[in-house]
Amino acid sequence: MNTFKQRILTLAMLAVASAPALSQSPTVPMPVPDEASIPKGPMGDAIKRGKALLTDTHKQLPKNVGNGLNCTSCHLNAGTTAHASPWVGLVGAFPEYRSRSGKVISLQERINDCFQRSMNGKPLAFDSAEMNAIMAYMKWLSTGVPTGTNVAGRGFEKIDTSLTPDPVHGKTIYGAQCASCHGAEGQGTKNPQGGYIFPPVWGKDSFNVGAGMARMYTAAAFVKHNMPLGQGGTLSAQDAVDVAAYFTQQPRPDYAAKAKDWPKGDRPKDAR
């Protein structure tokens, strides 16, 4: 193990040892800083670069993105929308134990998880200019959030995992509520620049089977709170589960490393 990785691991262990679990920590409102507060100079430039990388990922990082998505395809409004896995407060939440990894991971590792799974691509070097810019943006977004506190709206809204999915009904909902943006065949809606106005939800340009969004109940939680875009909350929990059961099971890229997920045996029932 090289010196840099040793240092990251040591910091992670110290942070976990000295900080309470977020589930036991107080929840605070999710503040979103005004862009006017971005400082001038090199740090401000890095923050702006980080936002550009996260909102235009497919174009900005073609060597690391293997599909047609941007990070903000799921982390809506540049990572500032509650229950759309916002980035506000994340800097103070990591290192964190992740059951899928079966270990404590850094925020850089979590970011690379998304590159390899949701973006079906390749990880960034921990000490790269791009990773540092992304971290700078997330640090700025976390301004005013005390370290070790949980931010209201973090992750996705909870969904009833006891609901029995009906993918046939889900196909009907998809055709009526989703296809106008995401395409009848899940292919998304492209823009003139070759990217996507609305992302594909299955097929070669979508997230792979190792992504969190490929899990039915995770996708259902996102859909219920955020979809259709601008009309979040209009679908019932059952409808959200049904439509997620339909589109998560459609063809998409594989992820060979998924065989190493949940090494401690606590694999969720909807894991691909």
Side-chain angles (χ1 to χ4, degrees), residues 78-146:
T80 63
T81 297
H83 301 298
S85 204
W87 298 315
V88 179
L90 276 194
V91 169
F94 280 81
E96 179 182 71
Y97 177 79
R98 300 283 295 182
S99 60
R100 185 170 66 183
S101 304
K103 63 180 182 178
V104 173
I105 67 171
S106 66
L107 182 52
Q108 291 95 327
E109 287 176 288
R110 183 69 188 92
I111 291 166
N112 275 339
D113 237 7
C114 283
F115 271 100
Q116 293 173 280
R117 296 167 185 268
S118 298
M119 316 299 286
N120 194 36
K122 298 178 180 179
L124 296 170
F126 276 24
D127 56 351
S128 65
E130 293 79 11
M131 179 64 85
N132 282 334
I134 289 171
M135 292 290 290
Y137 176 67
M138 291 184 179
K139 179 182 177 182
W140 173 75
L141 274 185
S142 301
T143 302
V145 179

Side-chain angles (χ1 to χ4, degrees), residues 19 41 52 64 71 78 80 87-88 93 95 101 120 133 145 147-148 159 192 201 203 225 253 261:
N64 299 92
C71 296
T80 63
W87 298 315
V88 179
S101 304
N120 194 36
V145 179
T147 297
I159 196 97
V201 290
H225 193 270
D261 290 346

Side-chain angles (χ1 to χ4, degrees), residues 63-259:
K63 294 181 180 179
N64 299 92
V65 177
N67 56 25
L69 305 186
N70 299 313
C71 296
T72 49
S73 297
C74 296
H75 304 269
L76 303 180
N77 196 24
T80 63
T81 297
H83 301 298
S85 204
W87 298 315
V88 179
L90 276 194
V91 169
F94 280 81
E96 179 182 71
Y97 177 79
R98 300 283 295 182
S99 60
R100 185 170 66 183
S101 304
K103 63 180 182 178
V104 173
I105 67 171
S106 66
L107 182 52
Q108 291 95 327
E109 287 176 288
R110 183 69 188 92
I111 291 166
N112 275 339
D113 237 7
C114 283
F115 271 100
Q116 293 173 280
R117 296 167 185 268
S118 298
M119 316 299 286
N120 194 36
K122 298 178 180 179
L124 296 170
F126 276 24
D127 56 351
S128 65
E130 293 79 11
M131 179 64 85
N132 282 334
I134 289 171
M135 292 290 290
Y137 176 67
M138 291 184 179
K139 179 182 177 182
W140 173 75
L141 274 185
S142 301
T143 302
V145 179
T147 297
T149 55
N150 213 358
V151 173
R154 185 186 175 195
F156 297 144
E157 187 180 55
K158 299 298 181 185
I159 196 97
D160 184 357
T161 58
S162 69
L163 291 171
T164 301
D166 181 352
V168 175
H169 181 230
K171 183 177 182 179
T172 300
I173 296 170
Y174 182 87
Q177 301 282 351
C178 314
S180 59
C181 292
H182 296 290
E185 300 299 322
Q187 74 273 20
T189 301
K190 285 195 170 184
N191 61 30
Q193 293 74 42
Y196 285 92
I197 302 171
F198 300 109
V201 290
W202 69 81
K204 65 180 181 62
D205 272 351
S206 190
F207 49 88
N208 67 40
V209 298
M213 201 65 78
R215 290 177 51 192
M216 180 182 64
Y217 289 110
T218 299
F222 175 84
V223 167
K224 184 178 183 300
H225 193 270
N226 300 292
M227 296 290 131
L229 193 63
Q231 302 175 52
T234 58
L235 293 177
S236 68
Q238 184 66 64
D239 285 346
V241 168
D242 291 350
V243 74
Y246 171 66
F247 76 78
T248 59
Q249 298 302 310
Q250 299 303 314
R252 62 185 67 260
D254 193 16
Y255 182 60
K258 70 182 183 298

